[in-house]
Every structure is written in C-alpha cells, then in structure tokens.
Amino acid sequence: MNPVIGILGGMGPGATVDAMQKLIRNTPARKDQEHIPMIAVSIPDIPDRTQCILNHSPSPLKKMVEYMRILENAGVTCIIIPCNTAHYWFDDLKRHTQVDMISIIDATCQQVTEQHIRHVAILATTATVRGEIYQRALASQQVDCTLPTSEQQDAVMNSIYAYKAGDIAQARTLLLPVVASLHQQGVAKIILGCTELPLILETEVSTTPDAYLDATDALIKKAIDWYYQQVTHPPVAA
Amino acid sequence: MNPVIGILGGMGPGATVDAMQKLIRNTPARKDQEHIPMIAVSIPDIPDRTQCILNHSPSPLKKMVEYMRILENAGVTCIIIPCNTAHYWFDDLKRHTQVDMISIIDATCQQVTEQHIRHVAILATTATVRGEIYQRALASQQVDCTLPTSEQQDAVMNSIYAYKAGDIAQARTLLLPVVASLHQQGVAKIILGCTELPLILETEVSTTPDAYLDATDALIKKAIDWYYQQVTHPPVAA
C-alpha cells in the first residue's frame, strides 16, 4: 500500500487548508506527480472542542472517529489532525485506528527541544490552555511556560472565534495586544498552539518567523519526514 | 444523505488547495459547523493531462476514475475537478459515477453569459487551447476568443510547469509579458482557464479583478449554489 497522508480536518476548515498548503510548500517536488498524496476530510459539523472541554457540551469524539473511519476506508496510512484542541482526545482516537497518527503536540514539543528553547509563551484556545495540553508536555522537558492573563486569554479565544466567523480584522484587533504584551515581557518564542493563530498572525509570522513556533508547521514537517521514511524504508509486510 | 462536495484534486495540489480556500472564503459561515462539508482526494500520480492530449502519453482517465471512486465511497454527493485540462475527459468521468458533477468549463462559460461578455482571451494549458475546450463552448454563445500566439502559448505552458515545480518567480516572468500583450490588444477580460493561473497572477487578480475571469472561482461559486440548493430543497428519495 502506498503511503497516503490523511487529514482529519474541518476544525476549522481554514486551518485544514493551511495545513495542506504547508504540506505542498514544504515538499521538494518538481512536478505534480512528485507531490505527497493526501486525502482530507473536512466535514465541520464536529461539535466545538473548546465548549465540550470547558462547559461539558456534546463531545466531538464520536464524529471524529466517524470521519477518521472515512480516511481509513479511503486508504490513508497516516492520520494528522490540524487542530490542537482536538488532541485532548488524541489517545482515544489512536485506540480507534490501526494506521499511524502524528500528534501536533508532540511535533511542536520536539521542535522546542531541537531548537534548545528553555522558555515559551503559549497562545491557544482556552480549552487547550486550561487542559494544560502543552504545559504538561513541556514541563517534562523543563521548559518554562508563560501564559496570557485571564482577560488576555478571553481575547485570544474571541479572536479565534472571530477568525472562524470570517472576521479577520476583529481577530487581529483582539490578538495583537496580547502578542505585544508577551513580547514586552521578554518572551522570545510564542507557540501558536491553535491552528487558526498562524492565519490570524500571517503578517507577523512572515516578518519575524523566529518569534513564533507554528504548531501546524511543526506537524506538517513531521508528516513529510514520516512520508519520505515510508517511501525509502517501506515497512516489512507482516 | 447530507450533501458533501467531493474534490477530485492533485492536478495540481496547489490548485486543489486554492479551490478549497475559495470555497471557504465564499461561504457565509459564522462558525466551523456552518461551513460546507468537503472531502478532497489529492493523489497527484495522475498522468500529465497535457502530455496525454498533445503527445499521446499514458491517459489520466483510469487514475481519475479510481480516485473518483474513493470520493464516492467516502459519501460525497457532488464531484468537482479543479483542473481545466482534465475536463477533456469530463463526459467519460460522468459516465463512471452516479453522483452530481459540476463542470469548470460550464461554470466559467455561464459567468461569461451572465456578465454579458462578448469577447475574451483564453489563457490555459496548450492542451486545453488546442483541444478547443473553451472555444467550442464559447462559440455556441457567440463570444469571440483571442488566443496567445504560438510562442506566447509556449510561454504560458512553461509558466504553468514552472509553478508546479515551485518556481513562482519564473512562472511570473514567463506569464506577465503574455498578459501585458493581451491587454495591449484591448482584451477587457481574460479567462484564467488553468487552475494554476490565478495562483501565478494572484497580485494582478486582486489589483484588477474585473480584468480576469477565474475559472476556479466560477466553479466554486457554482458548487456553493449547488450545496445550498441541496440543503434547502433536498432531492426527493426515489
């Protein structure tokens, strides 16, 4: 079976497209046929991840499993999820599939290690922050984390919802003061731990890339490594 | 069955992502869950469409049918193909599926009619131009077509291949003089009849949108119309 990357998307749709875009741009292909095969399921009726974690509203797990099954039946051999908050259910999802899965949290924390970063700020959904998804992973690496204040975190969350609603101007108005405040506190690296954030901060990331660690970018680079490893060292059939 | 748009992509991968991006941007959604469900199969090992039409190299039809089958099995209820040249096989593909299909050529020509355009220039792959895919459709609407000269057409084709190889600068260097020449001839509207062209001419299209008719954009707007028609007037079960 040829390696095919499956994207469990729709959380949100814009972030799904951003992940695909980054996969294409980071692939050293000279023609269509050299690009990495991928299948994306972007059916966005998956219940809101943040609302579930914070307010116990309906869980997204059932739908995520259902759409992961579509990817498996379509023949993908690795699944990635361009949504940080959804990784709250990563271990549950892993139990439902036989194919490889790459965690966006692991991919990002691996970059923190490889870049010898000792201190980061975390920008993410309120659920990712309160669920301590990044903090726990980074604590085991002895990395210090700065978090936005409670008011700033509300602004980050509202910025993400504004982006999902198509209001990029409002998303930027809400987010930029938080970013400025983190920079003023002397934070040298900000983890963009929600896949909408690199879209909201597109200008800032392209101007000062070293100030950010884009989780989508980390995930995609790991997925590309996975792909070329499969192609050059295919797993031995059982 | 809920309506789901299937994208037979990978021709090329960048154009697939552009189509998805345009679908998202043109959808009046206020949150993730209101976006249009889509599944994209972007497995780019489909043989080169232009080479097949011009030089009788292997046909892409078999692979296209195979990947269309993946979309059908995944539950899509409409298939679109963000590749103009692939529409050379549109009728063949239609015979292989029970689900709706929307033609990028029909969608574009419909916009020509609705905008009361009497004269266009056609920028497309050499196969699309020599196969007269657009010219025949537009002749029936009494629309005059201006085509690039043979040398210019070579530049257009090489520009498209340069973009597919990731060399955007070279793609622009090759294409911009052809566009300038068409404008100098007094052409008021240029059909971007290859899905890489709006990506190569992104700056020009955003600066002077009225000078271009982007086929991907036309296809996506028709797909969105199709979706809302299904949602508000679901087909009666047989």
Side-chain angles (χ1 to χ4, degrees):
Chain A
M1 188 183 272
N2 291 326
V4 179
I5 292 177
I7 300 174
L8 178 58
M11 302 178 280
T16 305
V17 166
D18 183 46
M20 295 173 76
Q21 182 87 270
K22 283 170 175 154
L23 201 146
I24 295 164
R25 291 204 175 141
N26 284 288
T27 302
R30 289 156 301 177
K31 54 181 182 175
D32 285 354
Q33 290 75 13
E34 289 179 4
H35 273 279
I36 294 177
M38 56 180 158
I39 298 176
V41 171
S42 182
I43 306 183
D45 63 356
I46 299 170
D48 190 293
R49 286 66 61 194
T50 292
Q51 287 305 316
C52 173
I53 296 171
L54 298 183
N55 303 324
H56 308 289
S57 67
S59 168
L61 184 60
K62 198 178 151 203
K63 286 269 183 192
M64 287 197 287
V65 171
E66 181 184 337
Y67 300 150
M68 212 165 64
R69 192 78 64 226
I70 293 178
L71 288 170
E72 278 194 276
N73 291 339
V76 309
T77 54
C78 177
I79 291 174
I80 59 173
I81 311 169
C83 171
N84 291 265
T85 316
H87 282 68
Y88 184 83
W89 293 271
F90 188 76
D91 291 339
D92 293 314
L93 290 168
K94 241 176 124 64
R95 275 193 287 275
H96 281 88
T97 182
Q98 299 298 315
V99 307
D100 283 351
M101 288 186 74
I102 301 169
S103 154
I104 197 170
I105 314 295
D106 290 351
T108 305
C109 292
Q110 190 180 326
Q111 292 234 342
V112 170
T113 307
E114 288 172 4
Q115 294 180 33
H116 307 288
I117 301 167
R118 309 304 320 158
H119 178 206
V120 295
I122 298 167
L123 283 182
T125 63
T126 304
T128 299
V129 171
R130 293 231 193 114
E132 302 195 334
I133 299 179
Y134 272 106
Q135 296 95 306
R136 272 183 282 139
L138 291 170
S140 68
Q141 300 177 205
Q142 284 82 49
V143 175
D144 289 331
C145 296
T146 294
L147 299 173
T149 64
S150 177
E151 290 73 27
Q152 286 174 335
Q153 183 57 47
D154 288 345
V156 173
M157 192 68 235
N158 289 332
S159 167
I160 293 165
Y161 280 130
Y163 183 87
K164 286 174 182 287
D167 191 347
I168 301 177
Q170 173 70 353
R172 286 179 61 75
T173 301
L174 286 162
L175 191 59
L176 290 183
V178 182
V179 172
S181 163
L182 292 171
H183 286 323
Q184 278 158 16
Q185 291 172 59
V187 173
K189 188 76 86 178
I190 300 175
I191 290 182
L192 302 179
C194 164
T195 51
E196 267 80 26
L197 294 172
L199 297 164
I200 302 169
L201 297 174
E202 196 175 357
T203 310
E204 288 69 25
V205 174
S206 80
T207 313
T208 54
D210 289 345
Y212 303 95
L213 205 172
D214 172 357
T216 308
D217 194 67
L219 174 67
I220 289 306
K221 284 179 177 156
K222 204 164 169 180
I224 292 173
D225 288 346
W226 171 90
Y227 176 79
Y228 285 113
Q229 203 163 21
Q230 301 293 311
V231 170
T232 50
H233 301 287
V236 180
Chain B
M1 187 182 274
N2 291 326
V4 178
I5 291 177
I7 300 174
L8 178 59
M11 302 179 280
T16 304
V17 166
D18 183 48
M20 295 173 77
Q21 182 88 272
K22 282 170 175 156
L23 201 144
I24 294 165
R25 292 205 173 139
N26 284 288
T27 301
R30 288 155 303 176
K31 54 182 182 173
D32 286 354
Q33 291 75 13
E34 289 179 3
H35 274 279
I36 294 176
M38 55 180 158
I39 297 176
V41 171
S42 181
I43 306 183
D45 64 355
I46 299 169
D48 190 292
R49 287 64 63 193
T50 292
Q51 287 304 317
C52 174
I53 296 170
L54 297 182
N55 303 324
H56 308 288
S57 67
S59 169
L61 184 60
K62 197 178 150 203
K63 287 269 183 194
M64 288 197 285
V65 170
E66 182 184 336
Y67 300 150
M68 212 165 64
R69 192 78 65 224
I70 294 178
L71 288 170
E72 277 194 276
N73 291 339
V76 309
T77 53
C78 176
I79 291 174
I80 59 173
I81 311 168
C83 172
N84 291 266
T85 316
H87 283 68
Y88 185 84
W89 293 272
F90 188 76
D91 292 338
D92 292 314
L93 290 168
K94 241 177 124 65
R95 274 192 287 275
H96 281 87
T97 183
Q98 298 298 316
V99 308
D100 283 351
M101 289 186 74
I102 301 170
S103 154
I104 198 170
I105 314 297
D106 290 352
T108 305
C109 292
Q110 189 180 325
Q111 291 234 342
V112 170
T113 306
E114 286 171 7
Q115 294 180 34
H116 306 290
I117 300 166
R118 310 304 318 159
H119 179 206
V120 295
I122 299 167
L123 283 183
T125 63
T126 304
T128 299
V129 170
R130 293 232 193 113
E132 301 195 336
I133 298 178
Y134 272 106
Q135 297 92 307
R136 272 183 282 136
L138 292 169
S140 67
Q141 298 176 210
Q142 283 84 47
V143 174
D144 288 331
C145 296
T146 293
L147 299 173
T149 64
S150 176
E151 290 74 26
Q152 287 174 334
Q153 183 58 46
D154 288 344
V156 173
M157 193 68 236
N158 289 333
S159 167
I160 293 165
Y161 279 129
Y163 183 87
K164 286 174 182 286
D167 191 347
I168 302 178
Q170 173 70 352
R172 287 179 59 76
T173 301
L174 287 162
L175 191 58
L176 290 182
V178 182
V179 172
S181 163
L182 292 171
H183 287 322
Q184 278 159 15
Q185 291 172 59
V187 173
K189 189 75 88 177
I190 299 175
I191 290 182
L192 302 179
C194 164
T195 52
E196 268 79 26
L197 295 172
L199 297 164
I200 303 169
L201 297 174
E202 197 175 357
T203 311
E204 289 68 25
V205 174
S206 80
T207 314
T208 54
D210 289 345
Y212 303 96
L213 204 171
D214 172 356
T216 307
D217 194 68
L219 173 66
I220 289 306
K221 285 179 177 156
K222 203 164 171 180
I224 292 173
D225 287 347
W226 171 90
Y227 176 79
Y228 285 112
Q229 202 163 23
Q230 302 293 311
V231 171
T232 50
H233 302 288
V236 180

